[in-house]
């Protein structure tokens, strides 16, 4: 079972920042997960919430702020004074550093009320195409099936994972329709029987967000392929 740093490594560095990516590298992680959305001027930025309020010294909706405004914000001081001055990164900057460090990236496409999935997907695809990154170093995921459908057309060679809280009754049909290789679910609602069914159907099973080491071992024994964690320190699994 692989570990994927959630929002970088959110327990150890400010989430969705280059500092978090560098921390993941120092910990030897192969994968990190980040969230992306669009600024008002269509820059793909790495941030989770629909506002900058929680994770920066700014205020306002990401979709209503332009990139120069976002770039000036401090996205590290809220976490710890040692990270003061850390910026909100663009996807292009994040992927460039990840490639240099040899870290693979799960890009979660965030869709908030009023957002246009097609527009976000087009701009994400443009960033990736410009960087010419190896397709096997990326994974798309989203709670919004429309995003995965658009990406299936725009970047069919990049793997996709459907995000859900609980497994829907038609999970198998949805994965087939969207051409997904993986199902991403909340570990709290996953059963052993469900885990076996997903694996038996030939799909990868990824679980979020797991910070308890004992639970990690249980999920590994169930056949979960990857878990997203805020703190990967101290976990060792013997297959």
């Amino acid at each position: 079972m692989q570990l994927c740093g959630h929002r970088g490594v959110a327990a150890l560095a400010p989430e969705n920042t280059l500092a978090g990516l560098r921390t993941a590298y120092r910990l030897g992680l192969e994968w990190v997960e980040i969230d992306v959305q669009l600024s008002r001027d269509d820059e793909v930025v790495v941030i989770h919430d629909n506002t900058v309020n929680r994770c920066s010294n700014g205020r306002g909706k990401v979709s209503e702020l332009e990139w120069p405004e976002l770039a000036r914000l401090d996205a590290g001081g809220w976490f710890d004074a040692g990270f003061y001055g850390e910026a909100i990164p663009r996807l292009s900057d994040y992927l460039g550093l990840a490639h240099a460090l040899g870290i693979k990236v799960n890009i979660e496409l965030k869709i908030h009320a009023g957002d246009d999935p097609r527009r976000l997907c087009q701009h994400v695809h443009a960033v990736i195409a410009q960087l010419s990154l190896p397709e096997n170093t990326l994974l798309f995921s989203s709670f919004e099936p429309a995003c995965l459908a658009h990406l299936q057309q725009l970047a069919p060679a990049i793997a996709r994972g459907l995000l859900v809280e609980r497994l829907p009754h038609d999970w198998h049909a949805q994965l087939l329709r969207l051409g997904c290789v993986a199902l991403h679910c909340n570990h709290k609602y996953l059963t052993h029987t469900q885990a076996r069914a997903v694996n038996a159907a030939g799909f990868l099973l990824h679980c979020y967000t797991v910070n308890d080491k004992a639970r990690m071992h249980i999920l590994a024994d169930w056949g979960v392929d990857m878990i997203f964690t805020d703190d990967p320190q101290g976990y060792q699994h013997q297959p």
Side-chain angles (χ1 to χ4, degrees), residues 37-40 45 47 49-50 52 60-65:
Q37 55 189 296
L38 290 177
S39 64
R40 182 179 178 181
V45 292
I47 188 170
D49 298 359
N50 68 330
V52 299
K61 289 185 176 181
V62 176
S63 61
E64 295 176 356
L65 296 169

Side-chain angles (χ1 to χ4, degrees), residues 70-188:
L70 292 165
R72 288 193 293 268
L73 297 178
D74 165 37
W78 68 273
F79 183 87
D80 184 271
F83 291 102
Y84 179 79
E86 188 68 27
I88 296 172
R90 297 176 295 184
L91 178 62
S92 56
D93 298 325
Y94 199 100
L95 292 181
L97 179 58
H99 180 63
L101 297 176
I103 295 179
K104 300 175 183 179
V105 183
N106 177 173
I107 302 169
E108 180 184 341
L109 290 91
K110 301 298 293 186
I111 296 297
H112 301 290
D115 290 347
D116 180 351
R118 179 182 292 276
R119 179 172 156 232
L120 175 58
C121 291
Q122 288 173 335
H123 285 284
V124 168
H125 175 250
V127 169
I128 292 169
Q130 186 173 26
L131 292 173
S132 299
L133 298 174
E135 292 156 344
N136 64 356
T137 64
L138 300 172
L139 170 65
F140 291 131
S141 65
S142 184
F143 283 100
E144 176 51 67
C147 279
L148 300 174
H150 291 316
L151 291 168
Q152 187 176 16
Q153 299 300 316
L154 291 167
I158 297 177
R160 295 172 299 283
L162 175 65
L163 267 163
V164 297
E165 275 281 332
R166 302 172 186 265
L167 269 67
H169 71 277
D170 62 343
W171 61 265
H172 190 271
Q174 287 196 56
L175 293 175
L176 290 177
R177 177 173 58 83
L178 296 167
C180 292
V181 303
L183 181 66
H184 298 203
C185 68
N186 189 328
H187 77 99
K188 296 178 182 178

Side-chain angles (χ1 to χ4, degrees), residues 9 11 13 53-54 57 88 104-105 111 114 125 190 206 222 238:
V9 275
N53 300 2
R54 180 175 63 88
N57 62 343
I88 296 172
K104 300 175 183 179
V105 183
I111 296 297
H125 175 250
L190 181 70
H206 300 167
W222 286 4
Q238 299 299 325

Side-chain angles (χ1 to χ4, degrees), residues 51 110 157 179 194:
T51 75
K110 301 298 293 186
Q194 290 173 329

